[in-house]
Amino acid sequence: MTIKDTRRLIFLCIPIVALLLLTVFKWYGLERGGTYTFPITGYDPRNILSGHYLIYTVNYGVPNICAQQPDAKQSVRILRAYPAVLCLQPKVFSSGNTPSKDCKVFIKGTCHHSRFRAGIEKYYVPEQYAKELEKRVLNGDASIKISVTGRGKALIKELLINDVP
């Protein structure tokens, strides 16, 4: 094996190892995080390039979510989308990057146009099920089961229709 072949082998292995590490990281977050279920409402915007995604709003059960604004001293850019933390135990919302000291489980995200976004507001569905799932979500029959890691990252485990995956 020549040096050129060795380099090719190394360059071939790097993306494979990176994908394996990413898969293990996601699996670990799903398995080790606390599991929570929240009702969702939304719609299914169709885009030829990106496929069928259910895009929805998650009802976290916290009043006045994203209602409080950050300090006026912060720039105008941050006022459009600013970091926020949603504490699940106890259910409290706060702006900023760090949860309160009494918060046991939290989700980090951003507030954008009065909506809290944690990266779990989009779920890919196969084309043959898109119409039916869209109707179910619009009827209020849908919820999502998420896993929350210790660092505040929320990951979708399942889409539930009438509490059935």
Side-chain angles (χ1 to χ4, degrees), residues 10-162:
I10 289 171
F11 288 131
L12 180 65
C13 289
I14 289 174
I16 293 170
V17 170
L19 286 173
L20 285 173
L21 288 174
L22 179 65
T23 303
V24 168
F25 174 75
K26 293 287 186 182
W27 172 81
Y28 184 78
L30 286 171
E31 293 300 316
R32 299 290 295 172
T35 302
Y36 297 89
T37 303
F38 297 105
I40 59 172
T41 57
Y43 58 97
D44 178 18
R46 287 171 179 79
N47 184 329
I48 294 172
L49 299 177
S50 64
H52 294 270
Y53 284 91
L54 288 174
I55 296 178
Y56 45 81
T57 303
V58 181
N59 180 0
Y60 293 102
V62 178
N64 300 324
I65 195 165
C66 287
Q68 61 180 341
Q69 295 289 321
D71 297 335
K73 295 177 185 176
Q74 294 181 354
S75 70
V76 175
R77 190 181 108 245
I78 293 177
L79 290 177
R80 284 189 230 136
Y82 58 91
V85 175
L86 177 64
C87 186
L88 298 176
Q89 292 179 0
K91 289 193 173 191
V92 179
F93 171 79
S94 63
S95 60
N97 285 323
T98 56
S100 62
K101 295 187 189 237
D102 60 334
C103 184
K104 294 176 178 37
V105 179
F106 61 93
I107 299 174
K108 286 186 176 183
T110 59
C111 281
H112 187 69
H113 297 294
S114 299
R115 290 191 179 182
F116 181 72
R117 295 186 180 171
I120 57 171
E121 294 79 20
K122 188 176 181 181
Y123 192 83
Y124 176 78
V125 293
E127 183 178 356
Q128 65 264 29
Y129 304 118
K131 284 270 195 199
E132 180 62 28
L133 289 175
E134 176 185 2
K135 290 177 191 173
R136 298 291 184 109
V137 170
L138 289 173
N139 287 340
D141 298 337
S143 58
I144 57 166
K145 186 184 288 188
I146 65 169
S147 178
V148 181
T149 66
R151 294 185 181 192
K153 176 75 175 157
L155 303 166
I156 300 173
K157 285 185 113 170
E158 292 179 310
L159 174 68
L160 305 172
I161 304 296
N162 292 327

